[in-house]
């Protein structure tokens, strides 16, 4: 992608997501993700309604008038984005590729983080760790992340979320807020008896505040009646002809999707991971805000 075109795309995403972050997510984000504790800020004169337990008796005795200690929340959290950039990111039937949605979500969360004085970092993963950008503050740092999300081409096309979680747990020593952003189309999650995905979830959740954002396309849940169609798995590149006019085929397709979703939901609940679903091509505002509200 040429530099001028890339800069235009970065700027367009910045304008859209920064506006959303300013107007909507900043307050919700701040309330949903607390700082490390309370730190002493100053003393001031006692006012009606102040908690008497906050009175600083040494200062009160010195000035012969009641003074209270004022505390402020310690922020400066570390926020990590775990972004699935496997081949399924190029999928989309609702006027938007999944990778574009991932880029916007990462930008919104990143701008919300720095507005609350938090650091932001990101892990790009497929079925290997494609790239790691350590946490930092600042607008230029976020623009660097957005630029990479737009133009980065992964070396691998499949997905291994367990690998990404274990890498994140190893590389991030300080307790962090982590957003795992993926479609969770990973053969290791469901139907694999020896899968370590659940264990990796629990391990990351014990050390960090882990939140899962599941991206999906409506066509992955309901197969439309459009006759004989040739479907391709974007990760394996394998094709298969499917007769979508056959009611039994459509029922089986929908039932399989429901089973995968139920298993994934159970894994999140058992691991204590907050999660929400975000539809490709639709507004992600309400799902994110509902997630933030439910954490308060």
């Amino acid at each position: 992608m040429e530099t001028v075109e890339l800069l235009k795309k970065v700027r367009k995403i910045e304008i859209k997501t920064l506006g959303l972050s300013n107007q909507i997510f900043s307050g919700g984000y701040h309330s949903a993700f607390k700082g490390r504790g309370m730190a002493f800020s100053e003393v001031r004169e006692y006012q009606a309604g102040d908690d008497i337990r906050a009175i600083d008796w040494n200062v009160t005795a010195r000035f012969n008038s009641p003074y209270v200690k004022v505390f402020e929340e310690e922020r400066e959290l570390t926020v990590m984005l775990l972004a699935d950039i496997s081949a399924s990111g190029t999928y989309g039937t609702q006027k938007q590729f999944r990778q574009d949605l991932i880029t916007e979500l990462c930008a919104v969360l990143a701008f919300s983080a720095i507005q609350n004085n938090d650091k932001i970092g990101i892990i790009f993963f497929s079925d290997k760790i494609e790239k790691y950008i350590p946490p930092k503050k600042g607008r230029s740092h976020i623009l660097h992340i957005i630029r990479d999300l737009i133009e980065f081409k992964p070396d691998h096309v499949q997905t291994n979320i367990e690998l990404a979680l274990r890498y994140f747990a190893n590389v991030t020593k300080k307790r962090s807020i982590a957003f795992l952003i993926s479609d969770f189309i990973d053969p290791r999650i469901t139907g694999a008896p020896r899968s370590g995905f659940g264990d990796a979830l629990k391990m990351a959740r014990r050390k960090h505040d882990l939140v899962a954002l599941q991206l999906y396309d409506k066509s992955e849940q309901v197969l439309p009646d459009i006759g004989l169609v040739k479907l391709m798995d974007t990760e394996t590149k394998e094709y298969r002809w499917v007769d979508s006019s056959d009611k039994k085929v459509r029922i089986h397709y929908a039932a399989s999707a429901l089973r995968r979703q139920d298993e994934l939901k159970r894994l999140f609940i058992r691991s204590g991971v907050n999660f929400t679903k975000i539809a490709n091509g639709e507004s992600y505002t309400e799902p994110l805000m509902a997630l933030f509200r439910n954490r308060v």
Side-chain angles (χ1 to χ4, degrees):
M1 186 180 296
E2 294 184 3
T3 302
V4 174
E5 183 184 354
L6 176 61
L7 290 175
K8 285 182 179 178
K9 284 196 170 187
V10 171
R11 181 58 179 158
K12 183 178 179 180
I13 290 173
E14 179 188 16
I15 291 170
K16 179 178 180 179
T17 56
L18 182 57
L20 284 171
S21 179
N22 284 333
Q23 297 169 21
I24 303 171
F25 296 126
S26 242
Y29 169 93
H30 184 99
S31 300
F33 303 102
K34 304 296 184 183
R36 292 172 294 177
M38 304 301 290
F40 173 75
S41 174
E42 61 180 348
V43 294
R44 60 164 171 77
E45 286 193 79
Y46 177 87
Q47 298 174 2
D50 284 342
D51 189 340
I52 60 172
R53 291 173 296 184
I55 292 177
D56 187 322
W57 295 106
N58 290 330
V59 177
T60 296
R62 189 180 311 148
F63 291 99
N64 200 29
S65 178
Y67 278 75
V68 294
K69 295 178 181 178
V70 178
F71 294 86
E72 292 182 350
E73 180 186 4
E74 280 190 293
R75 287 295 308 180
E76 198 172 299
L77 303 173
T78 297
V79 178
M80 285 299 302
L81 306 172
L82 282 66
D84 180 354
I85 58 168
S86 61
S88 58
T90 60
Y91 182 76
T93 62
Q94 305 295 324
K95 300 180 182 179
Q96 183 183 43
F97 287 127
R98 188 169 289 149
Q99 195 59 42
D100 297 333
L101 177 56
I102 289 175
T103 299
E104 286 193 21
L105 285 169
C106 286
V108 166
L109 294 168
F111 281 121
S112 295
I114 66 164
Q115 287 176 28
N116 285 276
N117 200 36
D118 298 338
K119 295 179 181 178
I120 187 83
I122 188 168
I123 295 169
F124 295 69
F125 72 92
S126 55
D127 62 345
K128 63 166 281 188
I129 303 304
E130 299 278 353
K131 186 170 186 177
Y132 168 60
I133 300 178
K136 285 176 60 178
K137 296 181 183 180
R139 174 178 174 270
S140 61
H141 178 62
I142 292 180
L143 296 182
H144 173 203
I145 289 174
I146 294 173
R147 185 188 68 229
D148 279 4
L149 282 164
I150 292 172
E151 68 173 358
F152 192 84
K153 298 294 187 292
D155 292 332
H156 291 210
V157 297
Q158 297 184 351
T159 305
N160 188 336
I161 301 174
E162 177 190 343
L163 174 71
L165 286 168
R166 294 191 184 281
Y167 178 84
F168 159 66
N170 288 332
V171 79
T172 312
K173 303 304 181 184
K174 184 179 176 182
R175 180 172 174 81
S176 306
I177 299 164
F179 291 93
L180 176 57
I181 308 171
S182 174
D183 54 21
F184 293 90
I185 299 175
D186 181 346
R188 298 168 185 82
I189 294 178
T190 57
R194 295 183 180 86
S195 171
F197 173 73
D199 292 337
L201 266 182
K202 291 176 184 176
M203 179 182 69
R205 179 66 183 88
R206 279 196 298 268
K207 186 178 177 183
H208 304 280
D209 188 352
L210 181 63
V211 178
L213 305 182
Q214 182 190 2
L215 314 184
Y216 71 98
D217 195 281
K218 290 180 178 180
S219 67
E220 293 166 343
Q221 299 179 329
V222 179
L223 186 65
D225 183 357
I226 54 175
L228 198 61
V229 292
K230 190 178 183 181
L231 302 179
M232 182 187 77
D233 185 318
T234 55
E235 297 195 0
T236 66
K237 303 301 182 184
E238 293 179 354
Y239 286 93
R240 180 183 177 187
W241 285 99
V242 175
D243 184 6
S244 65
S245 62
D246 187 331
K247 186 176 180 180
K248 290 181 180 179
V249 170
R250 296 198 305 274
I251 291 174
H252 176 73
Y253 185 94
S256 296
L258 282 173
R259 282 196 300 272
R260 289 194 302 270
Q261 184 60 42
D262 287 345
E263 176 61 20
L264 183 61
K265 183 178 179 180
R266 283 196 294 270
L267 284 168
F268 286 146
I269 292 173
R270 284 202 299 265
S271 304
V273 173
N274 292 135
F275 70 97
T276 192
K277 294 176 64 181
I278 299 174
N280 191 42
E282 296 184 4
S283 173
Y284 47 79
T285 302
E286 183 50 39
L288 276 183
M289 288 303 296
L291 175 70
F292 291 170
R293 286 195 301 268
N294 290 337
R295 289 175 53 92
V296 176

